[in-house]
Amino acid sequence: MASEGTIRAIERTFRIAEFLGTHGPVGLSAIATGLELPKSTVYRHLRTLEGEGYVTDDEGNYALSLRFLDLGERARGRHSEYRLAAEKVGELADRTAERAQFTIEEHGRAVYVHQQMGANAVRADTYPGKRVPIHTSAAGLAILSHYPRRRIDAIVDRHGLEAMTPRSITDPETLHDRLQRTRERGYSINDQGVIEGLRAIGAPVIGSENTVIGGLSISGPINRIEGQRLDEELPSLLLGATNELELDITYQ
Amino acid sequence: MASEGTIRAIERTFRIAEFLGTHGPVGLSAIATGLELPKSTVYRHLRTLEGEGYVTDDEGNYALSLRFLDLGERARGRHSEYRLAAEKVGELADRTAERAQFTIEEHGRAVYVHQQMGANAVRADTYPGKRVPIHTSAAGLAILSHYPRRRIDAIVDRHGLEAMTPRSITDPETLHDRLQRTRERGYSINDQGVIEGLRAIGAPVIGSENTVIGGLSISGPINRIEGQRLDEELPSLLLGATNELELDITYQ
DNA sequence: GGGAGCGTTTCACCACGCGAAACGCTTAGG
DNA sequence: CCTAAGCGTTTCGCGTGGTGAAACGCTCCC
């Protein structure tokens, strides 16, 4: 029935949790109709989630509990590399006055792990834990550029090349061209592939045994990320920070 | 069997997730023995969690995925009050140079929602999503001080008065005394009730219709949180920030 | 005062989650 | 070099536990 040997009740419960995450505090019936599930089933799931402390019930308005934040922070703290990366993200944000982030690949998608706004950084709805198609983000491209071909193909097969803007990469040839150029110059460029008007550069963070830990990136508006700043100043800062981070990780 | 009408499979899955959260990346057998569950059962749960993207499998080493962080951040963003509180936490941390935090009550426990370290703040393993017994924290006492008696009693009945340090409050009489003093002076004091050597003051944040949203607090080492600073300077800053926050919330 | 909507409860059914056991595989040790 | 221990994975028959249609009581608003 389901994929294979997986537990349907758990899949449903996470669908309910995700529904609560996107639709905010909401009542039982809205969930049931939104997910096309019987009310009694949703009710039982919510009772269970509430009993476990993962959902709050404010007079029939169900919402996600902060226990998810607890687990999320534990997930973020699971590797010391992520903590070291947070410091470098802070430095980059301070020195460039733009937004800086550290991103990893998880299940074939790019996930923001740390993010910091510099003094002039533009607002954007990126937050830790947010996922984007890996081929659209600068850090994602940087990560992919160090993956073996078969692993890249597997990700493309699984997720396709979904566009987030008209300038997103959408065909495999362009992707591999961009990855090749990324390898050559050591950093990637995302030109308005995630958000229009926003440009970013990214660099892969290599750990021990030549594995990719994740990617550091700097992003800002196209009118500031251009010319000599785009070609020299920011890449130099980014690659410097990446290099320092790699040393931190090796000799922590 | 279980509480009543709840779904056992879901309870187990969260126990597995929590195990991964506290024990870091770990293998299947360790989970099975740690939770006293058959390997095949744990395996099925892990496969489901991995399929849903909530667990990562790095060559047999299972770990929590950052999807939990995604849900957690959504939980934190569910109320605009929490976002406004974040700004005030930042201001308090900057102006006092200590650690400031915004805390709410969830399922009878105090949960840190926002936290910021000031210039001189001491390190502590408090992070967003972390839960502590509500009667031990300054913000928790502040919140309780505005709850009706029956609601306080219900929480005490449910969770007891667990001590975190020898100076934690452990009997109901002392608790109600402290709450009464909190009401009188408008702010609470936690003298080394959570961590030895750490003192904190907290104030309740009152929303519309006289309901308590949460609590703001400032914490630091006992040698800096004392004398005139403890009695006047910090309470004044704290109550000022709380008042501003309440206005922000009302007229947002 | 009636009807629509809500969250909750009930109940019989049989799919589905369960766990003992067996299975390959890798690793370590004699 | 062979064995044994340990790992993650797979199998399979059992029976329970998750399921969903339906009914229930309640509040709110015509």
Side-chain angles (χ1 to χ4, degrees), chain B residues 15-240:
Chain B
R15 234 168 285 142
I16 291 171
E18 288 156 13
F19 188 90
L20 290 176
T22 52
H23 293 76
V26 77
L28 168 66
S29 295
I31 304 169
T33 56
L35 295 177
E36 297 182 359
L37 288 171
K39 279 198 298 176
S40 57
T41 298
V42 176
Y43 181 71
R44 210 176 315 110
H45 280 253
L46 286 171
R47 286 266 300 192
T48 308
L49 286 166
E50 213 261 341
E52 294 293 301
Y54 287 89
V55 154
T56 60
D57 174 8
D58 181 19
E59 296 170 4
N61 274 340
Y62 294 95
L64 292 180
S65 135
L66 291 171
R67 280 205 85 139
F68 282 110
L69 195 55
D70 187 5
L71 287 182
E73 290 294 338
R74 288 166 187 271
R76 179 151 73 161
R78 75 188 163 195
H79 293 129
S80 56
E81 296 90 349
Y82 298 173
R83 273 173 265 139
L84 295 169
E87 298 171 22
K88 284 289 168 251
V89 166
E91 285 177 33
L92 277 175
D94 288 345
R95 293 175 66 177
T96 62
E98 304 288 356
R99 188 151 47 77
Q101 49 257 323
F102 175 70
T103 305
I104 63 159
E105 179 260 333
E106 219 178 57
H107 295 112
R109 309 202 74 198
V111 189
Y112 296 105
V113 182
H114 289 289
Q115 190 222 181
Q116 191 162 318
M117 314 276 270
N120 305 326
V122 291
R123 280 198 169 276
D125 73 332
T126 59
Y127 55 87
K130 171 146 183 180
R131 314 170 101 67
V132 296
I134 193 161
H135 65 286
T136 62
S137 93
L141 289 174
I143 293 168
L144 287 185
S145 75
H146 265 63
Y147 277 1
R149 176 68 186 243
R150 70 163 62 186
R151 189 158 174 194
I152 299 171
D153 290 340
I155 290 174
V156 172
D157 282 354
R158 182 164 165 198
H159 295 285
L161 292 173
E162 181 199 345
M164 295 202 69
T165 73
R167 306 194 63 143
S168 298
I169 298 170
T170 53
D171 69 286
E173 291 214 6
T174 317
L175 175 63
H176 285 290
D177 281 1
R178 299 281 180 90
L179 293 181
Q180 186 52 35
R181 289 197 56 197
T182 298
R183 282 178 213 110
E184 283 159 16
R185 77 188 151 210
Y187 63 93
S188 61
I189 296 178
N190 158 24
D191 186 11
Q192 313 178 60
V194 177
I195 295 169
E196 292 191 79
L198 224 61
R199 201 171 275 152
I201 64 172
V205 179
I206 313 296
S208 56
E209 317 217 349
N210 208 33
T211 59
V212 195
I213 309 280
L216 279 175
S217 61
I218 305 167
S219 47
I222 47 178
N223 60 46
R224 280 206 305 263
I225 314 281
E226 62 168 1
Q228 192 250 346
R229 193 161 184 249
L230 168 61
D231 294 333
E232 293 171 31
E233 194 183 322
L234 291 177
S236 162
L237 274 171
L238 179 67
L239 294 175

Side-chain angles (χ1 to χ4, degrees), chain A residues 18 54 64-65 70 78 127, chain B residues 18 54 64 70 78 127:
Chain A
E18 288 156 14
Y54 287 89
L64 292 180
S65 136
D70 188 5
R78 75 188 164 197
Y127 54 88
Chain B
E18 288 156 13
Y54 287 89
L64 292 180
D70 187 5
R78 75 188 163 195
Y127 55 87

Side-chain angles (χ1 to χ4, degrees), chain A residues 114-130:
Chain A
H114 289 289
Q115 189 221 186
Q116 191 162 318
M117 313 277 271
N120 305 326
V122 291
R123 280 198 170 276
D125 73 331
T126 59
Y127 54 88
K130 169 145 183 183

Side-chain angles (χ1 to χ4, degrees), chain A residues 19 26-39 42 46 60 62:
Chain A
F19 188 90
V26 75
L28 167 67
S29 295
I31 305 170
T33 55
L35 296 176
E36 297 183 359
L37 287 172
K39 280 198 297 176
V42 175
L46 286 171
Y62 294 95

